[in-house]
Amino acid sequence: MAETTWWTYVQALIGDDSPAEAAARAGFDKSAFTRWKKGANADPAFVVRLVRAYGGSVLEGLVAAGTISAQEAGVAGRGQSPRAALRGVPNDLLLGEVERRMGRFDISWSDDSAIEYDDEQLGQLITLNPAASDADDHDPDAEVEAQQDEP
């Protein structure tokens, strides 16, 4: 038996997830996948739950399941959605495109770029968490107010 449009769509939608994982994610029994693989029609409620669980287009899912036509959905002649197209792109190509768009940023820290404070600077830091204070009578609000009053 030839694969149905719906079954092809389902396989692309769930990617590397197993039918059991996909069914659990969508909240229904995995036996639906066995029926779909054999060519059974998908119940529209199951279509909607599965597509939403995977962040797909409900209209595209209903078209793939044969519930509505592409014309009824208003997607005739548009081809597949960008999300569906991206699912078929190999990871190395996708990563390369992301790097091209964002540019290469080196966010690693070199040893000489560490922030250093001397003892005088550390003494000026304000502790706003009373639980972090060693003193029982420490009032962080008073400390902030006193620093605000300084010239």
Side-chain angles (χ1 to χ4, degrees):
M1 172 177 246
E3 279 191 358
T4 63
T5 303
W6 170 242
W7 182 244
T8 302
Y9 176 86
V10 167
Q11 290 177 302
L13 182 69
I14 69 173
D16 293 332
D17 285 358
S18 70
E21 292 167 329
R25 187 169 170 175
F28 54 77
D29 190 75
K30 67 180 180 180
S31 63
F33 288 89
T34 304
R35 292 191 305 274
W36 297 337
K37 187 175 182 178
K38 292 179 180 178
N41 292 330
D43 181 293
F46 281 72
V47 172
V48 171
R49 288 171 71 179
L50 180 66
V51 172
R52 284 184 176 160
Y54 280 88
S57 164
V58 171
L59 288 175
E60 287 179 5
L62 291 169
V63 169
T67 306
I68 61 175
S69 71
Q71 290 78 18
E72 290 172 314
V75 297
R78 277 204 246 160
Q80 64 183 166
S81 70
R83 181 184 302 268
L86 285 174
R87 283 193 186 97
V89 176
N91 290 342
D92 58 334
L93 290 177
L94 185 59
L95 182 57
E97 178 61 16
V98 170
E99 287 176 341
R100 183 191 69 76
R101 289 186 184 190
M102 296 185 70
R104 290 188 172 260
F105 296 103
D106 183 10
I107 59 171
S108 60
W109 291 85
S110 62
D111 292 336
D112 63 345
S113 65
I115 299 172
E116 296 180 14
Y117 295 99
D118 61 27
D119 289 339
E120 185 177 320
Q121 289 172 316
L122 288 175
Q124 294 175 1
L125 295 176
I126 301 171
T127 301
L128 297 178
N129 181 355
S133 173
D134 291 335
D136 291 335
D137 61 346
H138 178 74
D139 183 0
D141 293 329
E143 185 177 341
V144 170
E145 289 173 12
Q147 286 191 359
Q148 289 174 345
D149 292 338
E150 292 177 5

